[in-house]
Amino acid sequence: MSIVAKDISEKMIFSRYGYDYHCIYYNPDFHCGVWKMTDKNTGRFSGYEVVKGLKYKQPDGSIVYRYPGDELFGYLGFYSYNLDRLLKHIDEWMELD
């Protein structure tokens, strides 16, 4: 069987929508972390994303926590230049689990 989704823990460095993403903090127990964004063309800092992995069952029955899509931002993902603000989201997610 094929693997459909990649676990968020394997996405420490990736690119999408003209940005390079580098994970600067990841909590494996709660499947959440912070990624620093850099503009691919200019190399300039573009902000941070904090995300909580979305539980997903692969066709083979294994469970992964995938990076949430754009439609889930505002719920499982947030963007900001303020790192302290984003770390508060992680604290809130840990309190809810």
Side-chain angles (χ1 to χ4, degrees), residues 25 32-34 50 86-95:
Y25 170 79
C32 57
V34 177
V50 62
L86 295 179
L87 292 174
K88 288 180 184 178
H89 284 292
I90 290 178
D91 290 340
E92 291 169 4
W93 287 328
M94 289 174 17
E95 287 177 11

Side-chain angles (χ1 to χ4, degrees), residues 14 16-17 19 21 37 49 51 54 66-79:
F14 66 97
R16 85 174 178 176
Y17 303 131
Y19 296 99
Y21 290 75
M37 299 169 56
E49 278 188 6
V51 298
L54 178 64
R66 65 179 178 86
Y67 205 94
D70 294 340
E71 71 279 0
L72 292 172
F73 267 68
Y75 175 65
L76 294 177
F78 299 91
Y79 170 85

Side-chain angles (χ1 to χ4, degrees), residues 16-34:
R16 85 174 178 176
Y17 303 131
Y19 296 99
D20 288 326
Y21 290 75
H22 290 88
C23 185
I24 60 170
Y25 170 79
Y26 183 72
N27 184 315
D29 296 328
F30 293 95
H31 314 284
C32 57
V34 177

Side-chain angles (χ1 to χ4, degrees), residues 32-68:
C32 57
V34 177
W35 280 258
K36 181 180 178 181
M37 299 169 56
T38 306
D39 185 290
K40 286 176 87 169
N41 294 322
T42 65
R44 294 182 69 193
F45 169 71
S46 298
Y48 300 100
E49 278 188 6
V50 62
V51 298
K52 179 164 178 51
L54 178 64
K55 189 175 182 178
Y56 180 81
K57 187 175 182 177
Q58 303 278 28
D60 68 359
S62 64
I63 301 294
V64 296
Y65 290 83
R66 65 179 178 86
Y67 205 94

